[in-house]
Amino acid sequence: MADGRGGRAERRGHRQLRDGRPAGAVRSVASADFDADGYDDLVIGQPYTAESGDAMGSSVSAGDFDGDGHPDVLTGLPGEDLTRGGVNRSDAGAVLLLKGGATGLTGSGAVAVSQDTAGVPGSSESGDRLGSSVSLTDLSGYGRADLVFGGAGEDGGDGVLMHLPSGSTGLGYPQTTVFGRPALGTAPGAALGANLAP
């Protein structure tokens, strides 16, 4: 994280930056005051430097999902391979929620979500690329940021958006809503969920 001492940024969310690297190699940026010093800090996603090919950090977003007053970070892993029933699903994808606390952002208690998570609709398939985009945004108005993430490769490239709500008891997996081509009328191959605005 880098400290933005030039003043407090009011807008939080994520932005993807292309830097001349190969197609699909992007950096993403999110800002929030993680250390409670009155200045926003930056989280910079740098895919393709951690586990080979999982693309962790290709999209990041900051928000307070549990209402504890400390910002958390949601990041996508669209290249994550998942195994179910002994069969590998390459590039099925997942998202990872990193929790913030009084001492800042930590990996302790991190939560991974995929289409194989109990209560989440559907099932992981090769090429779904869940986590292509992510957003932590309070969509309900209850003061807790909900999880929204895209799977640009779902259904042969039609793509989907998934909304996983946050509540007083935690993440509402059974209330996860999926928005895809049938519901939204998007064009075939539109890769819905490839990008999300904060």
Side-chain angles (χ1 to χ4, degrees):
M1 291 184 291
D3 201 343
R5 300 252 177 212
R8 181 171 183 81
E10 294 302 321
R11 184 175 171 214
R12 295 181 179 176
H14 76 277
R15 188 173 297 162
Q16 293 186 339
L17 308 174
R18 297 200 179 270
D19 61 0
R21 294 166 50 155
V26 297
R27 290 187 181 133
S28 55
V29 179
S31 64
D33 185 6
F34 294 102
D35 56 7
D37 66 353
Y39 297 95
D40 271 7
D41 309 294
L42 296 179
V43 172
I44 301 173
Q46 180 68 48
Y48 308 109
T49 61
E51 179 184 323
S52 177
D54 67 3
M56 179 177 174
S58 58
S59 185
V60 295
S61 186
D64 185 5
F65 95 98
D66 53 7
D68 66 356
H70 303 292
D72 312 293
V73 168
L74 182 65
T75 184
L77 295 87
E80 180 76 358
D81 296 344
L82 300 175
T83 301
R84 186 180 71 251
V87 177
N88 181 58
R89 270 92 173 152
S90 62
D91 296 339
V95 298
L96 184 65
L97 180 63
L98 303 170
K99 297 182 181 180
T103 58
L105 194 62
T106 175
S108 178
V111 177
V113 180
S114 75
Q115 285 185 288
D116 292 336
T117 300
V120 174
S123 58
S124 295
E125 299 170 325
S126 291
D128 282 349
R129 299 194 58 77
L130 192 71
S132 302
S133 60
V134 297
S135 183
L136 269 177
T137 304
D138 181 6
L139 299 176
S140 62
Y142 294 133
R144 294 177 178 85
D146 301 306
L147 284 64
V148 180
F149 37 93
E154 178 80 16
D155 294 332
D158 291 346
V160 295
L161 287 172
M162 302 184 83
H163 169 233
L164 172 54
S166 300
S168 59
T169 59
L171 295 173
Y173 297 106
Q175 288 79 46
T176 301
T177 306
V178 179
F179 301 94
R181 182 174 169 236
L184 301 177
T186 52
L192 183 66
N195 294 291
L196 280 170

